[in-house]
Amino acid sequence: MIGHRWRPTHPSWALLVPAAPLCLAGLLTLEAIYDPAGTSGLSRAVWRQLAYLALGLACMKGIVLLGYQRLGRHAYALLAGCVLLLVWLLPDMPLVLERNGSRRWIGLGPVVIQPSELTKVAYVLAMAWYLRYRRNYRTLGGLVQPFLITLVPMALIKLQPDLGTVLLFLPVLMAMLLAAGAKVRHLLVVILMGVACLPLLWFKIASYQRLRIVGVVLQDPGIRAALERRPELWQSFRPPGVRPADWIAELTEWEVRSGFQLTHSKTAIGSGGLLGQGWRRGLFVEYDILPERQNDFIFALVAHQWGTWGAVGVLLCYALLTVAGFEIATLTNEPMGRLVAVGAATMLAVQALTNVLMTLGLGPVTGVTLPFVSQGGSSLLTSFALLGLLVSVARIRPITLATPPFEFDEEAERYQHVP
Amino acid sequence: MFERRVKILLVMLACPAVLASARLVQLQWWQAEAFAAAAERMLSLPPRYFPALRGEILDRRGRPLAFDAPVWEVAFHYAFMVEDDALRRRVYRAAGLRAADLPSPQRVEESWRLVSQLTGVAMDRLMERRDRVVASVARIKAAVQRRRGVETVVQEETMAHTVVGGLDQQMQVDARLGLAGCPWIEVRPCHTRRYEGGPALFHIVGRVGEVDAETIASDPRADDDLACYRPGEVRGIAGVESAAESVLRGRRGRRHEDQKGRPLSPPADPVDGANVHLTIDAELQQAIYVRLSAVLEENPGSTGACAVVLDLPSRDVLAAVSCPAVGDPAVASPEDETFRQPWLFRPGLARPPGSIVKPMLLAAAMADGKVNTGTYFTCSGHLFPDRPDRWRCMATYGHGPVDPVTSLQKSCNVFYYHVGQLLGVRRMRYWWPLFGLGERTGVGLPEESAGRLPDELTEGAARLAAIGQGRLDVTPLQAAEMAATVATGTHRPLRLWHSDAPDNRKETPLPVPPDAWRTVREGMYAAVNMPGGTAFRRADFSRPTGFVLLGKTGSAEAPPRQSAYTCRFPDGSVRRIVARNRRALLDSFDPAERPTILSQQDADPDRDTHAWFIGYLAPRGRYLEPVRPGDGALVVAVLLEYVGHGGEAAAPVAAAILEDILTGRERSDPVQAAAQETPR
């Protein structure tokens, strides 16, 4: 439909149909938050979001017109540009905006860019470009290079710090490698190595991040009570530099300290009930008691207003989007297209899942937005850019007589001694 | 293979999605009710507190001397102190205004200048105040964020903060009119402490000041959130404001509601502090202050003067005047400040009493049987025949044979050297507290000293103490109390202020036989009314009254007004510096340049003595008997520092003060005054 024809059977529809209700849910929630009484017309925040939406659609159209292949030729340059922007954020450079102690934004007058969001798109393109004609990643050594490419932006984003975005890259890389045909046992080795490195990471992250991760366990009052009964056990986890009294308070006052956000978000979801409080209704809409409710925790308000049905509906939309993305990947024969589609769809799915699981208390609290729903220009633009890549892959279906790519025959390989 | 792997991927992604759906069901079906209840609890807001008015301080006739007066303050909404559009919209929405009407930054900037114009506070002072508020709110916000791990809007961000205070009625009207178009600025009422009564009451009424961190840390009522101290509040720091703090201070009110306005705890209304009634007569206090100021003007070498008047037998303090006082332009020049130290509350300051302790000592010696009416000692002008230069009496050639009455009339030192030797310091230490020496008098002021009693048990110390010198220091309040004890034969603490609590001061009879009292009173009568008395013809009233004055003069040798100190400085130089005392000398240097004091010399050898007079009015014809209620008797104590002889300098002042009171009584209630003056 974005192309020359408006065919209702075109797979692009499967992408746009689920994206529309997601955007709508976001807009309605924003309107409810910023104008709970419904007195004046659309609030400024909604107009802004609508403007970003238009910009996102334009961006998507632009990517479709350019085509992922033409973009792919410049993928390394794009990624290098993004890395440069990320490096720009590190030292005390002009135009960098600092909020809540993290340096993630570059302000150009009224326009604020978040380089880590742009990096996501560039990364999918670059990784697809890198993997498209190779087969060396089917050896353990061949996996080193893709991981090195991934580690550069990851490290830079970790330094901002933005742990949530960092953790998006590894699942996407794994998905792309798996789709490209890397050997499962190699990937398992890599995962095991990663798990072995986790303790190292544990000591590398800030104490508040550690508490957020531990919070997934601590949210259970029974576990907290058990730990309170054995304070010496809890003290043994105390990071250096924290006073014992403060550390005990982290446990006894968990709900108003590190668990504040999670407790409020779960309450917002739970108090929504099965049917929800209704649009513009409910305590969490009327009163600003859930911080970041318009942004990272918007899913809690969706569930608060529209109940289980609304929340499951949102999950279904993401499921449809992901399935459509994977379907597009299987429909095309073009190797790069396949990898771009798998990468983009996985990126969207993992981001949505990370956000939803965090809101529900099934994962640590990280600053990951909900694609298409959360307020914010960079997030919306990135989501539509990923969508644009998917549509672009769906549009171009080259007729080729070659065997479909990434269809390795392990048995044949064993006889031919192909690496 | 690709398709299979994509399917594997899909399944891997579906697992957490299914998990999320199950969690949704758990939260929204099974625990929905619990969470709905929890959500209501999350609406709770921190409690709001409302200040209570501080009680008034009134004089004995109900004239207010200290009270909370209404003033107004200009408060700026925090959102307009910083540039935060979201907060500003929030403020506008809360006020029922349209967010579209938000002012431009220029308009806000202009409003600051307008506030500066209307209140007369300089722009940079306003900006300084703004920066302080912004910094303090940022600190609070950072602390909350650190605790919760997420940025939240704190209450202080949605409030208006005071930038200018203390506006009077006219200024607040102007400010309201001028700032009518600026809904982000509030002109709101508050109150400030006002003082009437002028310098004469400066020390007694005292002052309030902002509570400091130390007070908050040691607050005994820290657990009571309606009574504990909070930063920015005031408390009494001097005088009755401090002594009666627990009475004057009210309890603040509290509203603890959630965001819907439902009460979370029963509301508490503010309870204003209770009024405190002084026993002081402000008019009398002022009159005495004027009189003492005149004395100081005549005696430029005097460092200060004070007087105490008590009602008998109630011991209510009618006046306790310290001159000079802070805020008196006549003495407030900087050189006077260091010389006369107007901040000192002299009625509560211990000084050598001189001969005014003699009546008390005579009563004690007679009660102990060491002296009786027939006892006499011969005074040849000095105690030891072979040492005419030591242990001298005022009379150069001696008083001859001296009996107890004459000893008081002429204030014979030699007689009291003997009395001192007979009693000894150990026995005196039993008697002094019975007359109230060495103990606070019960007026309860923090500025009051308990005085000093000698602890050396030698004969010399006893002789010195017997003439009121040496290591014996007495406050004018104690001196007045001592005279009151002689007048009634009983001891009772003084009273300076009271609230509604019943008067539970006990009257304690002293173990002194009535004959001894009569001898003492006879001696005090003779001192004022008989030829040869130290105050004879010095303390006469200008016309006959129904009272006689009994009294005792004192001329106490006082420490030098200044001393010369030989000092060695850190750089090795040695210099002579004249200063009031060691403390004043050391305080005048930076810690790094402080000298060590090598020796000290008297730089004030020709100084006059402190002039004391204590006495009381007794009904004429019955002055040997104890004063009774309804007699209209009064006690007066006067101390003039470095003025000279008690009889010559202090007695006339005391008599003039008493005559003022008697004249005032006649004016206000002629019938009662006449009845009191009829000799019974």
Side-chain angles (χ1 to χ4, degrees):
Chain A
M1 69 149 213
I2 303 289
H4 313 289
R5 287 161 292 178
W6 287 76
R7 251 189 0 224
T9 51
H10 197 277
S12 312
W13 284 111
L15 293 171
L16 288 169
V17 166
L22 291 176
C23 290
L24 187 67
L27 287 168
L28 286 176
T29 306
L30 288 183
E31 172 65 10
I33 289 172
Y34 287 103
D35 190 13
T39 46
S40 47
L42 287 182
S43 63
R44 281 162 54 108
V46 175
W47 279 117
R48 274 176 81 93
Q49 187 75 353
L50 276 172
Y52 281 127
L53 193 66
L55 208 63
L57 284 169
C59 171
M60 175 171 132
K61 172 83 180 169
I63 287 175
V64 171
L65 285 182
L66 280 171
Y68 72 94
Q69 283 165 314
R70 213 175 304 167
L71 277 172
R73 255 170 256 149
H74 308 288
Y76 289 158
L78 283 173
L79 187 63
C82 288
V83 167
L84 269 182
L85 284 178
L86 289 173
V87 170
W88 179 272
L89 289 171
L90 291 182
D92 200 8
M93 295 295 262
L95 302 177
V96 175
L97 304 179
E98 191 170 330
R99 289 183 205 154
N100 297 344
S102 64
R103 306 163 62 84
R104 299 182 193 173
W105 300 273
I106 295 177
L108 298 166
V111 183
V112 177
I113 306 172
Q114 195 175 343
S116 57
E117 292 287 327
L118 301 180
T119 312
K120 289 185 202 165
V121 182
Y123 171 77
V124 168
L125 272 174
M127 193 46 64
W129 185 259
Y130 175 80
L131 293 175
R132 93 209 122 123
Y133 294 139
R134 283 170 202 267
R135 47 196 305 140
N136 66 338
Y137 49 79
R138 281 177 65 75
T139 62
L140 204 52
L143 289 177
V144 172
Q145 252 177 323
F147 271 93
L148 280 183
I149 296 174
T150 316
L151 281 177
V152 172
M154 270 177 73
L156 289 171
I157 295 170
K158 164 75 186 67
L159 289 174
Q160 290 181 357
D162 183 357
L163 197 59
T165 309
V166 170
L167 295 180
L168 291 181
F169 285 88
L170 282 180
V172 171
L173 173 65
M174 288 301 208
M176 286 172 86
L177 283 174
L178 184 72
K183 288 187 174 155
V184 175
R185 61 171 187 277
H186 292 164
L187 292 180
L188 283 177
V189 166
V190 171
I191 289 173
L192 279 177
M193 275 163 60
V195 170
C197 287
L198 274 185
L200 208 70
L201 187 72
W202 175 259
F203 292 107
K204 274 282 157 200
I205 59 179
S207 128
Y208 79 94
Q209 289 168 330
R210 248 173 272 168
L211 275 169
R212 284 179 178 184
I213 294 168
V214 178
V216 178
V217 180
L218 285 186
Q219 64 182 307
D220 182 41
I223 293 177
R224 286 210 302 278
L227 277 173
E228 271 175 52
R229 279 194 298 277
R230 299 189 57 196
E232 71 287 345
L233 179 67
W234 176 244
Q235 289 294 353
S236 64
F237 294 116
R238 180 164 59 90
V242 178
R243 287 183 306 168
D246 284 346
W247 190 240
I248 281 287
E250 288 293 351
L251 189 63
T252 53
E253 298 171 15
W254 181 82
E255 289 195 350
V256 291
R257 292 177 81 109
S258 59
F260 179 84
Q261 189 74 330
L262 182 52
T263 312
H264 278 65
S265 128
K266 270 165 61 188
T267 311
I269 294 168
S271 60
L274 179 62
L275 299 173
Q277 302 278 343
W279 182 49
R280 264 197 182 134
R281 303 188 44 190
L283 298 178
F284 284 82
V285 178
E286 286 167 48
Y287 302 101
D288 185 6
I289 42 183
L290 174 65
E292 298 292 328
R293 57 181 181 165
Q294 78 284 20
N295 204 329
D296 297 353
F297 281 80
I298 199 163
F299 182 75
L301 276 201
V302 169
H304 186 65
Q305 290 180 93
W306 293 290
T308 314
W309 299 122
V312 170
V314 165
L315 289 180
L316 271 180
C317 286
Y318 287 115
L320 270 178
L321 213 68
T322 316
V323 170
F326 287 173
E327 180 69 15
I328 287 167
T330 48
L331 284 179
T332 184
N333 273 341
E334 204 276 321
M336 165 136 184
R338 282 195 156 182
L339 290 181
V340 165
V342 168
T346 314
M347 184 68 92
L348 285 172
V350 171
Q351 195 179 336
L353 277 174
T354 312
N355 180 286
V356 168
L357 292 180
M358 136 187 121
T359 318
L360 288 166
L362 295 174
V365 174
T366 53
V368 175
T369 55
L370 192 59
F372 301 108
V373 186
S374 285
Q375 185 187 30
S378 285
S379 160
L380 208 57
L381 278 180
T382 313
S383 305
F384 273 106
L386 290 171
L387 214 57
L389 287 179
L390 286 173
V391 173
S392 156
V393 174
R395 259 184 94 220
I396 303 163
R397 271 195 256 170
I399 299 162
T400 165
L401 296 177
T403 51
F406 313 128
E407 299 290 350
F408 300 103
D409 184 345
E410 301 212 353
E411 217 168 319
E413 274 174 16
R414 217 168 293 146
Y415 294 112
Q416 290 170 2
H417 301 287
V418 183
Chain B
M1 181 182 185
F2 179 76
E3 268 186 50
R4 203 179 72 232
R5 292 204 158 185
V6 165
K7 275 179 196 156
I8 293 172
L9 257 181
L10 253 182
V11 170
M12 282 167 67
L13 289 171
C15 288
V18 169
L19 191 67
S21 307
R23 177 74 163 176
L24 274 170
V25 170
Q26 182 206 1
L27 294 179
Q28 296 193 305
W29 280 9
W30 290 350
Q31 302 177 355
E33 275 175 30
F35 279 118
E40 291 284 341
R41 284 199 300 277
M42 283 178 179
L43 290 178
S44 69
L45 285 174
R48 285 175 299 152
Y49 294 99
F50 304 94
L53 289 182
R54 197 174 166 81
E56 295 183 355
I57 299 178
L58 312 163
D59 89 334
R60 69 186 287 117
R61 300 189 195 184
R63 281 174 290 218
L65 301 176
F67 52 91
D68 276 354
V71 287
W72 286 264
E73 61 186 19
V74 177
F76 238 79
H77 264 286
Y78 179 78
F80 294 86
M81 290 186 170
V82 294
E83 295 219 357
D84 189 332
D85 268 351
L87 267 181
R88 288 181 182 189
R89 272 198 295 280
R90 201 186 171 115
V91 169
Y92 258 53
R93 267 208 308 276
L97 296 165
R98 275 163 22 98
D101 299 337
L102 273 177
S104 63
Q106 292 81 18
R107 180 91 185 77
V108 176
E109 190 59 33
E110 243 169 61
S111 70
W112 280 103
R113 271 195 293 279
L114 200 57
V115 168
S116 167
Q117 270 170 26
L118 288 167
T119 60
V121 177
M123 198 61 185
D124 44 350
R125 289 277 304 281
L126 282 182
M127 292 297 111
E128 201 180 293
R129 170 80 193 140
R130 178 188 68 177
D131 295 345
R132 260 211 313 279
V133 171
V134 170
S136 105
V137 173
R139 258 200 314 280
I140 294 168
K141 195 174 169 69
V144 172
Q145 187 184 340
R146 219 172 19 252
R147 211 178 55 211
R148 293 180 173 171
V150 62
E151 188 180 332
T152 41
V153 175
V154 294
Q155 209 187 9
E156 281 75 9
E157 286 181 284
T158 58
M159 278 172 24
H161 297 261
T162 309
V163 289
V164 185
L167 269 63
D168 62 17
Q169 174 71 22
Q170 186 55 46
M171 280 166 90
Q172 70 103 356
V173 171
D174 291 346
R176 268 180 212 281
L177 291 176
L179 299 168
C182 309
W184 58 92
I185 306 178
E186 286 177 13
V187 179
R188 56 192 186 188
C190 61
H191 48 78
T192 186
R193 199 72 172 159
R194 282 272 157 74
Y195 294 99
E196 303 286 337
L201 279 149
F202 171 83
H203 300 97
I204 301 260
V205 173
R207 284 293 178 272
V208 292
E210 206 163 299
V211 293
D212 48 11
E214 201 181 313
T215 316
I216 293 174
S218 60
D219 188 359
R221 290 164 302 187
D223 293 337
D224 184 351
D225 70 334
L226 297 185
C228 65
Y229 288 119
R230 288 169 183 278
E233 284 187 339
V234 296
R235 64 168 183 132
I237 51 169
V240 170
E241 288 272 29
S242 167
E245 171 70 7
S246 58
V247 177
L248 290 167
R249 187 178 163 68
R251 286 171 69 79
R252 61 176 78 84
R254 178 185 56 199
R255 292 268 183 294
H256 192 188
E257 294 168 341
D258 66 9
Q259 302 205 17
K260 283 184 171 177
R262 294 170 304 193
L264 296 173
S265 65
D269 284 327
V271 180
D272 291 343
N275 290 350
V276 163
H277 299 268
L278 298 187
T279 57
I280 298 281
D281 183 330
E283 228 170 76
L284 173 64
Q285 178 95 359
Q286 179 62 33
I288 296 175
Y289 186 81
V290 170
R291 229 167 239 299
L292 295 180
S293 306
V295 172
L296 289 190
E297 249 171 63
E298 282 168 25
N299 297 282
S302 168
T303 50
C306 64
V308 176
V309 178
L310 305 182
D311 181 55
L312 273 185
S314 71
R315 265 90 156 177
D316 283 355
V317 182
L318 296 181
V321 185
S322 180
C323 185
V326 174
D328 186 356
V331 294
S333 63
E335 56 269 28
D336 278 353
E337 289 248 321
T338 49
F339 179 56
R340 290 191 160 155
Q341 305 183 68
W343 55 87
L344 293 178
F345 176 59
R346 294 187 150 80
L349 211 62
R351 257 77 61 84
S355 307
I356 59 164
V357 292
K358 286 175 182 170
M360 168 252 142
L361 220 62
L362 181 61
M366 292 184 79
D368 276 357
K370 309 280 188 197
V371 174
N372 57 41
T373 42
T375 311
Y376 71 88
F377 298 106
T378 306
C379 167
S380 55
H382 45 91
L383 179 62
F384 300 119
D386 53 336
R387 295 296 301 269
D389 56 326
R390 299 190 61 197
W391 301 108
R392 290 198 53 82
C393 189
M394 297 294 273
T396 321
Y397 302 108
H399 294 111
V402 179
D403 67 352
V405 172
T406 320
S407 76
L408 286 181
Q409 179 189 5
K410 300 187 173 170
S411 194
C412 177
N413 281 358
V414 171
F415 185 93
Y416 285 94
Y417 292 145
H418 287 292
V419 171
Q421 274 174 215
L422 289 172
L423 269 178
V425 171
R426 201 185 294 278
R427 194 58 193 161
M428 286 185 204
R429 288 187 71 88
Y430 163 76
W431 281 105
W432 280 322
L434 293 182
F435 282 84
L437 301 191
E439 287 172 358
R440 287 177 214 277
T441 56
V443 297
L445 293 185
E447 293 84 357
E448 192 201 1
S449 151
R452 182 171 63 155
L453 300 179
D455 34 23
E456 206 183 325
L457 299 178
T458 59
E459 274 201 343
R463 285 199 291 267
L464 262 186
I467 61 160
Q469 298 285 171
R471 294 189 159 270
L472 177 66
D473 285 332
V474 169
T475 70
L477 281 167
Q478 287 171 333
E481 193 185 7
M482 197 160 61
T485 308
V486 173
T488 58
T490 56
H491 176 256
R492 194 182 188 199
L494 306 188
R495 187 168 76 158
L496 178 65
W497 59 272
H498 58 97
S499 52
D500 295 332
D503 186 4
N504 52 7
R505 290 175 295 155
K506 279 201 198 68
E507 203 156 355
T508 331
L510 264 62
V512 175
D515 278 353
W517 284 131
R518 280 194 207 104
T519 311
V520 172
R521 289 179 194 132
E522 185 65 52
M524 287 175 73
Y525 174 81
V528 179
N529 299 293
M530 303 291 276
T534 48
F536 181 60
R537 294 271 162 83
R538 306 278 185 195
D540 289 347
F541 297 141
S542 57
R543 57 196 169 70
T545 63
F547 295 99
V548 287
L549 179 60
L550 285 73
K552 182 72 198 78
T553 61
S555 311
E557 285 190 15
R561 278 167 290 196
Q562 47 191 20
S563 304
Y565 296 92
T566 313
C567 307
R568 179 184 290 134
F569 285 86
D571 60 7
S573 63
V574 176
R575 267 186 284 156
R576 224 171 93 101
I577 293 175
V578 175
R580 206 168 64 235
N581 53 34
R582 279 166 184 268
R583 177 89 170 275
L585 170 77
L586 295 178
D587 283 353
S588 63
F589 291 98
D590 284 338
E593 295 169 14
R594 242 168 231 170
T596 44
I597 296 174
L598 301 176
S599 67
Q600 173 183 359
Q601 285 106 34
D602 188 348
D604 189 17
D606 302 326
R607 62 185 180 277
D608 277 319
T609 51
H610 284 341
W612 281 93
F613 183 85
I614 59 168
Y616 68 99
L617 278 185
R620 191 179 287 278
R622 209 163 46 73
Y623 63 84
L624 290 183
E625 300 309 314
V627 166
R628 291 194 299 244
D631 281 348
L634 294 168
V635 166
V636 66
V638 172
L639 166 61
L640 310 176
E641 296 168 4
Y642 303 104
V643 169
H645 188 251
E648 287 166 17
V653 175
I657 290 170
L658 290 174
E659 195 171 355
D660 281 349
I661 301 173
L662 294 180
T663 316
R665 272 190 198 167
E666 271 171 34
R667 226 185 4 253
S668 62
D669 196 350
V671 179
Q672 203 197 338
Q676 275 176 356
E677 287 178 21
T678 313
R680 268 170 267 190

